[in-house]
Structures are given as structure tokens and as C-alpha cells.
Amino acid sequence: MIQSADIREWRDHDVVDPKGHKIGVLEAIYVDTATDEPAVATVRTGLPTRQRLVFVPLDEAVVGPDYLKVSHPKGEVRKAPSIGTDDVLPAEGEAEIFQYYGMPYEPGAGGERKLARR
């Protein structure tokens, strides 16, 4: 498992898919609030004048010499839920990310958020 402190150092490095195709650039890490482990990353994609942040799970992610390799193909990630580069993930948007990738989603017992940006 990649430690959250380690993966934050990879901000602005390339994010690639399992075949090595560049998806974009690592923007931020969201940790699971229950475990404080890295769960999801945002990847900056698009043209310089029309960039957005797409979400990708960090399950099975591998850190390389100058990249972060995720386990989802480029086409799937590019169609994932996204936010603007200056936007914040709304609480109601969390479930959509988990649903898109077929992952179980359970907020905290008191309705707390599942993800926190680090």
C-alpha cells in the first residue's frame, strides 16, 4: 500500500494507465476518512485552456521513477466524474465516484464524508 505521505510527493508527476498511456498529471490525493489511507486521486487532464480534474481510485496503484501507474485504462478515467480545477468535491459527489468505478460506498455512521483531500 502506498502511504499518503509518500504519494503527496508525486504531485505534478504523470499518471499513466496499465499500458503506460499518459492520462494526465497528479493534482491531489483524497484519503479514506476511516483509515487515513490514500483512496482516490485527482488527475489534471484536458487542453491548457480547458483543464479539469478527474477522479481515479488508487487501488493497486504503483509508483514508478517519474510516474504513478493506476489500474484503470485511460478511456475509463477520462470519462470519470470530474470537477473544475478550482472546484471542491461536494459531499454528494463522493457516491458518484464510487459508483462509477463499481466500488462500495458507505459514508460515516453520522453521515461524515468518506473522502478528505490531503
Side-chain angles (χ1 to χ4, degrees):
M1 174 57 80
I2 299 171
Q3 299 300 314
S4 58
D6 297 336
I7 203 166
R8 281 193 302 257
E9 296 173 9
W10 290 91
R11 186 169 182 214
D12 294 326
H13 282 71
D14 290 344
V15 176
V16 299
D17 74 0
K19 293 184 178 181
H21 298 125
K22 182 178 176 181
I23 298 170
V25 177
L26 181 66
E27 176 68 25
I29 301 299
Y30 285 78
V31 297
D32 183 316
T33 56
T35 64
D36 206 35
E37 293 293 326
V40 178
T42 52
V43 180
R44 192 170 52 243
T45 65
L47 301 172
T49 58
R50 297 182 60 191
Q51 292 189 333
R52 62 193 178 100
L53 301 175
V54 293
F55 292 87
V56 62
L58 293 174
D59 57 327
E60 303 177 33
V62 176
V63 175
D66 57 355
Y67 62 86
L68 175 68
K69 184 183 290 186
V70 295
S71 62
H72 299 273
K74 179 179 180 176
E76 179 182 14
V77 176
R78 291 268 174 118
K79 294 176 185 172
S82 65
I83 58 174
T85 56
D86 293 329
D87 294 341
V88 176
L89 174 64
E92 58 275 5
E94 289 183 0
E96 181 182 5
I97 296 165
F98 283 77
Q99 180 181 13
Y100 179 80
Y101 286 105
M103 300 168 15
Y105 177 74
E106 292 185 32
E112 298 89 4
R113 294 184 72 139
K114 173 99 174 142
L115 299 173
R117 185 176 170 159
R118 295 281 190 255

